[in-house]
Amino acid sequence: MPSLNRIRDRLPSLYQPEDGDPGLVSLWLKAVGTVLDRAQREATEVMQSHWFPYADQAMFNRWFLGTGELRVPPAPFPKPGDPALSQFPYIDDLARIGALVSIAPWEQPPRWRDLVEDYRLRIARIVAVYRNGLGTMGALRRMVEAQLPADQSAPAQQRDRPFWLEEFSPVANAVLPAPTRGAPPMILGPMMRWSIQNDSLAPAAPNFYIQGVAAVPDHIDATVNPMIELYAAGSIRPRVAIGYTDTVAPGTTLRLRAASDSWLGLDTGVVTAHANPPEGGYADPTAPGPWQPSAGGPASPVSALLQTYDLTLWAAAGTSLLRFDGSAWTTVFNGLPHINALLQDSSDLLIATDSGLRRMPLRPPASGPTDPPDPAFDGRKVLSVFPAADSKLWFGTDAGALSRDSGAAVTASPLQGVAVNSVAQDRAGVFFFGTELGAFQWQPGTNSWFWYEGSSFGQENPNWQPFAAPHLPAATQPFLPSVNVVFCDRSGAVWFGTKNGIARYTAEADQSLDFQTMLEAFPDLTNGPVFTIREDERGLLWFGTDRGLFRFDGRDWWQSQAGLWVRLGRADTLYPSGNPRGQWRFARTLAQWQRLDANWISFTAPPRSTAEPAVRSIAWTDSVVADLGTWDGSTFSGATPVPPAKLVVHVKPDEEAILNGGIPALPRLPVGKSVWRYLAIEPPGLVPPAARPWWSREGRLFPLPADLNAPAEGRYDIVQPQPESSFDDAIFGWLPAARVWFEWPGKMPLSVLVRLKKIAPNESVDPSIVDRVWQGIQQVRPAGVRVRLAVEEDIVKS
């Protein structure tokens, strides 16, 4: 209200001038009111220029408000959240504040030039970086976010450009030629072996280059049916090999590159997606879709997917067990009790069923699992199997949790009398159990057990209450739904996949930078059952739910909708309100999630995701892409694709047998030292010589009938055998036949990759944006940490 009206309204009614009155009193009141109005405006502008939240805000700008008043009809006074407010372009006072922290408005590229609210948001984010400390993954994430322009015209959940951080990212190593001892140099023959030291943090998918050589009678053989085998990793002998069923011509190189596949178990069977490596790069190990049905696969709900060391993919579909070898699905058994989980245990497959635990060789007889059900699980449904860090196996059953040590002794834990659906262990060694009564925790260091109560928060109200067997909490006590699956991520957060959606137990810094535990729930994504939680190679979490497949990248949620990933917004924000997600609990008596906002408020809004086919299980497998071309030791050119049917995988369960393996893929390079061999595929119908012992080109031993100590193959590693007389007990059989090179991307410590995502498939990210992000990264990069920047799959800064 103008000051004139406020002054006039305070006068006695007898002396109040009428509107339009030309008298001296009216003119005097108008002059005084005008001066007061101007003083008020100027005082407001002065204060706004010093107040960061209000400086240059369109709601208080005379020009902005005046243009609205001149419209026909006049525009109403704007309200917070009005889209027009975010489009206000004039930056004046806010720039003075930004100068205090050396942050200037962006002018390039023109499409992404700073508007007032863009600039205000960026200043706030930069200040938050420095307030919360530098040299951390959180600081790196906040700095990248601050250097990326926000699209104020997009829906709230999609205004920020998507990106994520990949800790311990793969770094390409130099190409390593397979070494030899003696002449001819660098040419391998069947049975020759060499060692590789992989200093990365995880097994790596390598690329192989096999170059053909010209035959020289009595000296060198042609490169016929070449094969590369992972022979040993420490004390384990996998003896898994990939071979090419043809001849590699002299001077031609067979290139074998790692590709990736992802698999989803649905109510209607199995679907799969494939990712090929780009030229000069590596395949996306997550193979994030789109997915297509796997021909010949199961047609009923798939509760578990597992790939074993021989590269076979196993699927549990109700009461059936199936295997996939890369070309066809085979039903191994029908009529088993309902299968809940699968796990490889040495050379056996553990099958968790509704009537106990079964053990089966990976090459099962036609009659079914040979071992009877384990008597330790009589009368129990085995719901889950978990391998702990100390090599023990934990079993969740419908009557409690059990563990088994390497000596096969089964021990019942104190957690009995409740269905245990899932077991997980964090990096500190603490165990978490997902049960019908919510979550339980076991701290092995103190042998202390706790159950998650969660009705309130704070140091005076601990979330976890001590548990002493057999005193379980009442069914209505835990403020958490029944937990189907529990997962501990790399950041230390514990995820609960419940019968009523997704929840995360984590810790957040408050204004004093003290960390407070909190439970976040996401009923706005799904409020139905969660079946599985998996982490991919890049550190992203995948959730299989009743509403389809979700993915969490560390900041944003995504949902696969009709095979396309759609961003659903930040995990720490509720939409459309934009409020912080805050603390949550689940009121069992109401069967509702509740959010803390001064008081506990029930969340009743429907999910904002779309209803997609339920995803019950998730798996990733390696595959291979082959081509022929020219290789000079560093550059491959003239690639001609090789038909996949020419690639085979063979597995040796022992030195005397060769079996077909599963999905054709390159054996993963183990961490540490591993031993590899060059072999040649045995021809069909091979007849070994009568004079034995004898080693075939593929490394199969044909011993004397009673010989238990056959001579070793005569091709040794580059280390001279000691004593040298050991050569006297070896057989030399095959001529050199090929040159071989290795390369692999190793996951290295102190390395981070920042991956920017495109907003549209054909978008070209402006180089000025890339440069700004890279400069911001250098400001907060921890000392000694190697950082790379990628746009989608292309590395643009390193």
Side-chain angles (χ1 to χ4, degrees):
M1 177 184 296
S3 296
L4 167 63
N5 294 342
R6 290 200 299 269
I7 297 173
R8 187 179 59 183
D9 291 345
R10 292 177 180 273
L11 295 176
S13 57
L14 182 62
Y15 299 102
Q16 286 184 7
E18 298 290 338
D19 289 337
D21 182 82
L24 291 177
V25 174
S26 295
L27 294 177
W28 180 76
L29 291 177
K30 185 181 295 184
V32 173
T34 300
V35 172
L36 292 176
D37 288 340
R38 183 183 304 115
Q40 182 181 13
R41 287 197 301 269
E42 292 174 353
T44 301
E45 290 171 356
V46 169
M47 296 304 295
Q48 288 172 6
S49 68
H50 292 80
W51 291 351
F52 167 78
Y54 305 105
D56 292 341
Q57 195 173 67
M59 186 180 293
F60 306 105
N61 183 272
R62 284 179 293 166
W63 179 86
F64 177 82
L65 297 176
T67 56
E69 293 172 357
L70 293 176
R71 292 179 185 173
V72 180
F77 191 82
K79 297 180 180 179
D82 189 330
L85 296 176
S86 63
Q87 301 300 315
F88 187 61
Y90 295 104
I91 297 173
D92 184 15
D93 294 324
L94 192 60
R96 298 188 184 97
I97 297 176
L100 297 177
V101 284
S102 300
I103 303 172
W106 287 339
E107 298 181 8
Q108 298 295 329
R111 179 180 174 230
W112 296 109
R113 72 187 189 281
D114 270 337
L115 303 179
V116 173
E117 297 309 318
D118 298 325
Y119 187 42
R120 192 191 319 278
L121 177 62
R122 186 155 58 89
I123 294 175
R125 286 177 170 175
I126 293 292
V127 171
V129 171
Y130 289 97
R131 181 194 302 126
N132 294 318
L134 308 182
T136 66
M137 288 290 289
L140 189 58
R141 186 187 303 277
R142 288 189 292 270
M143 178 58 78
V144 172
E145 184 178 68
Q147 300 300 331
L148 290 171
D151 184 359
Q152 298 291 351
S153 64
Q157 65 269 29
Q158 297 178 355
R159 287 175 184 167
D160 285 316
R161 177 179 291 276
F163 74 93
W164 57 71
L165 307 185
E166 299 172 18
E167 196 172 6
F168 311 124
S169 65
V171 178
N173 288 355
V175 177
L176 175 69
T180 57
R181 296 185 70 248
M186 310 309 293
I187 302 181
L188 303 169
M191 308 299 293
M192 294 184 72
R193 53 170 100 160
W194 64 94
S195 296
I196 293 180
Q197 182 70 30
N198 178 15
D199 294 327
S200 64
L201 299 175
N207 295 338
F208 298 156
Y209 299 86
I210 304 174
Q211 191 173 79
V213 297
V216 178
D218 299 327
H219 290 83
I220 297 177
D221 282 342
T223 311
V224 180
N225 298 331
M227 175 171 273
I228 305 293
E229 179 188 70
L230 171 59
Y231 179 70
S235 60
I236 301 174
R237 292 196 172 182
R239 292 185 287 247
V240 178
I242 184 168
Y244 172 61
T245 57
D246 206 338
T247 299
V248 182
T252 300
T253 298
L254 171 68
R255 180 177 63 170
L256 302 173
R257 293 188 296 163
S260 301
D261 296 288
S262 61
W263 306 81
L264 306 179
L266 311 181
D267 286 341
T268 55
V270 175
V271 295
T272 182
H274 181 75
N276 276 332
E279 193 61 44
Y282 296 93
D284 181 348
T286 71
W291 289 269
Q292 301 294 330
S294 181
S300 54
V302 177
S303 56
L305 291 166
L306 173 71
Q307 187 178 36
T308 47
Y309 88 97
D310 61 352
L311 306 184
T312 297
L313 180 66
W314 299 84
T319 61
S320 299
L321 182 65
L322 300 90
R323 66 188 301 271
F324 181 67
D325 62 4
S327 59
W329 285 93
T330 302
T331 300
V332 180
F333 305 119
N334 276 321
L336 291 171
H338 185 273
I339 302 172
N340 300 307
L342 301 171
L343 182 73
Q344 180 182 335
D345 183 26
S346 186
S347 60
D348 292 338
L349 187 68
L350 295 182
I351 309 171
T353 76
D354 275 357
S355 64
L357 185 70
R358 306 296 296 267
R359 179 181 293 272
M360 181 190 77
L362 295 181
R363 298 290 171 171
S367 58
T370 54
D371 290 353
D374 193 318
F377 299 89
D378 284 351
R380 293 178 182 251
K381 293 182 180 180
V382 181
L383 306 175
S384 61
V385 187
F386 176 75
D390 60 359
S391 300
K392 284 186 178 181
L393 293 180
W394 281 83
F395 302 90
T397 77
D398 63 337
L402 297 86
S403 64
R404 168 182 283 167
D405 59 24
S406 57
V410 176
T411 304
S413 75
L415 184 58
Q416 299 296 313
V418 61
V420 177
N421 301 313
S422 178
V423 183
Q425 186 179 20
D426 68 13
R427 291 186 175 185
V430 176
F431 285 83
F432 294 87
F433 302 83
T435 78
E436 290 291 331
L437 292 176
F440 286 75
Q441 180 191 108
W442 176 48
Q443 299 180 6
T446 59
N447 195 29
S448 301
W449 284 82
F450 303 88
W451 63 279
Y452 184 81
E453 195 267 347
S455 64
S456 55
F457 297 87
Q459 295 181 353
E460 299 177 357
N461 302 289
N463 311 147
W464 297 89
Q465 299 292 333
F467 162 66
H471 304 293
L472 294 169
T476 57
Q477 280 186 280
F479 279 79
L480 196 65
S482 174
V483 177
N484 293 335
V485 57
V486 59
F487 184 87
C488 302
D489 70 13
R490 301 181 185 184
S491 70
V494 182
W495 292 86
F496 301 118
T498 77
K499 290 186 177 180
N500 297 88
I502 302 168
R504 173 174 65 167
Y505 184 74
T506 185
E508 295 288 342
D510 58 18
Q511 293 182 351
S512 64
L513 297 186
D514 290 333
F515 279 86
Q516 298 291 334
T517 59
M518 65 188 309
L519 182 75
E520 295 176 323
F522 303 91
D524 51 328
L525 302 182
T526 176
N527 51 20
V530 179
F531 304 109
T532 185
I533 304 175
R534 296 290 306 277
E535 185 177 63
D536 66 28
E537 276 201 37
R538 290 181 169 173
L540 280 64
L541 298 182
W542 295 44
F543 298 78
T545 77
D546 66 320
R547 293 180 69 83
L549 183 64
F550 293 87
R551 186 175 70 183
F552 179 61
D553 65 17
R555 184 190 72 173
D556 292 330
W557 282 103
W558 303 70
Q559 185 187 21
S560 176
Q561 299 179 2
L564 298 176
W565 287 102
V566 176
R567 189 155 45 110
L568 301 181
R570 305 172 63 106
D572 60 6
T573 304
L574 276 173
Y575 299 96
S577 67
N579 294 326
R581 186 166 295 272
Q583 297 272 14
W584 292 71
R585 70 181 188 182
F586 185 80
R588 286 192 165 217
T589 54
L590 301 175
Q592 288 182 344
W593 285 103
Q594 295 180 330
R595 175 175 169 268
L596 183 60
D597 186 6
N599 297 304
W600 290 104
I601 302 173
S602 292
F603 185 88
T604 57
R608 55 191 177 87
S609 60
T610 62
E612 302 289 331
V615 174
R616 295 183 175 272
S617 51
I618 304 169
W620 291 276
T621 62
D622 293 331
S623 56
V624 62
V625 173
D627 42 33
L628 295 169
T630 303
W631 170 254
D632 62 5
S634 60
T635 304
F636 189 86
S637 58
T640 301
V642 169
K646 289 194 173 185
L647 302 176
V648 297
V649 169
H650 287 173
V651 179
K652 301 183 185 69
D654 54 53
E655 300 285 7
E656 300 176 28
I658 296 176
L659 304 174
N660 290 325
I663 301 171
L666 308 175
R668 288 240 165 177
L669 187 66
V671 175
K673 182 180 178 181
S674 56
V675 180
W676 297 74
R677 296 196 298 186
Y678 176 83
L679 305 171
I681 301 172
E682 283 186 11
L686 172 67
V687 178
R692 299 184 184 181
W694 182 76
W695 291 90
S696 75
R697 293 177 185 266
E698 198 172 339
R700 179 157 55 146
L701 174 64
F702 292 87
L704 292 168
D707 188 5
L708 301 179
N709 296 300
E713 68 270 32
R715 298 297 188 182
Y716 283 88
D717 201 353
I718 59 175
V719 178
Q720 180 76 17
Q722 298 293 332
E724 291 193 24
S725 60
S726 59
F727 275 122
D728 297 336
D729 297 323
I731 295 177
F732 294 81
W734 307 107
L735 296 176
R739 292 184 174 90
V740 176
W741 290 262
F742 264 51
E743 67 174 350
W744 70 92
K747 286 192 172 184
M748 306 305 293
L750 301 178
S751 63
V752 178
L753 186 143
V754 179
R755 191 178 302 278
L756 306 183
K757 303 295 289 182
K758 293 182 178 180
I759 297 175
N762 298 324
E763 182 197 16
S764 177
V765 180
D766 193 278
S768 63
I769 295 176
V770 173
D771 290 341
R772 281 199 297 262
V773 171
W774 185 246
Q775 292 167 8
I777 288 173
Q778 302 313 310
Q779 296 178 40
V780 299
R781 177 177 62 88
V785 173
R786 291 171 291 184
V787 179
R788 295 184 300 158
L789 178 62
V791 177
E792 295 289 350
E793 298 300 315
D794 298 326
I795 304 296
V796 294
K797 297 284 185 179
S798 180

